[in-house]
Amino acid sequence: MSLSTGGADVIVGIVDGPVALDHPDLAQATIKSFPGWGVGCRDPRSVSCQHGTSVVGILAASRQSQPPGIAPECTYVLRPVFTENTPAGEMPTAAVREVAEAIVDCVHAGARIINLSLAVSGGGFTSDQMLRAAMDFASQRSVLVIAAVGNHRVIGGNMDVLRHACTIPVIAYSLLGQPLPQAHIAASIGRSGLGAPGKDVFGLASSGGTAVFTGTSIAAPFVTGAAVLLRSIYPAVAASEVKHALISTRAGQQRSIVPGLLNAWAAYQLLSTHTYRKVLA
């Protein structure tokens, strides 16, 4: 964060809920919508609005806010998939087909990184095919997908989006450096995933001010933010190289169903050295 605030030419796709655009800490953020899709909250008390605002706030809030945004100068395209009628106390979910369509929309909008802090419901042969095709499309366009693994206390049973080559699955860690017990884990997550802060994290509250959040949804944008800054500093670097830099510099857990912690500075150092060598060549 000391090296970059992001760049307007780096477009980040957010597949989530609506955002409280009137929050003062988002006043300077560039948050765009898709035709026919509103991005502002109708009810700031709704679970979906709280969710979307907290995720976007970690990335796009002003550096002067408490907490500061990781990459406030980037351009964010928000594709809502959560409705605001989710009952209080329940996490919003999105249908597989809608998530697939949202990913494609973000890629068409020029997103270089997509954040998926969501749980997917439903599914079936056709919709699952659509999701795989959407992920393939993102991969072909050198788009990196950061996906929260969910809070299901499940081992195995991983969905296609988390296993895809263009994805970095993210679990939540506590301030003590321990993975949260409710995290969804699997061998593929251990191989290609990352842990990030996800316990009692301060974020923007949809009603104004800040609130405390816990879960993988809040951990994912920390990894997205690190990837966004790396792509802002090195715009010519491919998504696969950014993923390699982040995964190969993980701290802690290795060769386990539980992935190691994000080490953004080590990833920057590795990518810097690799890029420097390519320039010399």
Side-chain angles (χ1 to χ4, degrees), residues 130-154:
M130 287 182 62
L131 184 57
R132 284 192 290 272
M135 297 299 296
D136 290 343
F137 181 56
S139 181
Q140 292 161 7
R141 296 293 185 93
S142 192
V143 175
L144 186 61
V145 177
I146 312 298
V149 302
N151 308 304
H152 311 128
R153 292 188 177 92
V154 174

Side-chain angles (χ1 to χ4, degrees), residues 32-124:
K32 298 183 176 181
S33 62
F34 292 90
W37 294 92
V39 299
C41 300
R42 295 190 304 274
D43 179 5
R45 298 168 300 177
S46 70
V47 177
S48 296
C49 181
Q50 295 172 33
H51 194 280
T53 303
S54 65
V55 169
V56 170
I58 288 175
L59 293 164
S62 165
R63 282 283 176 90
Q64 283 69 52
S65 69
Q66 292 296 327
I70 297 174
E73 299 300 322
C74 287
T75 299
Y76 295 90
V77 289
L78 178 60
R79 174 57 159 81
V81 292
F82 298 149
T83 64
E84 292 192 70
N85 57 6
T86 301
E90 293 185 16
M91 288 302 297
T93 61
V96 174
R97 179 184 295 268
E98 190 162 16
V99 172
E101 292 172 349
I103 291 171
V104 172
D105 285 345
C106 288
V107 175
H108 279 308
R112 303 186 68 189
I113 295 172
I114 298 175
N115 188 92
L116 301 178
S117 289
L118 48 77
V120 180
S121 63

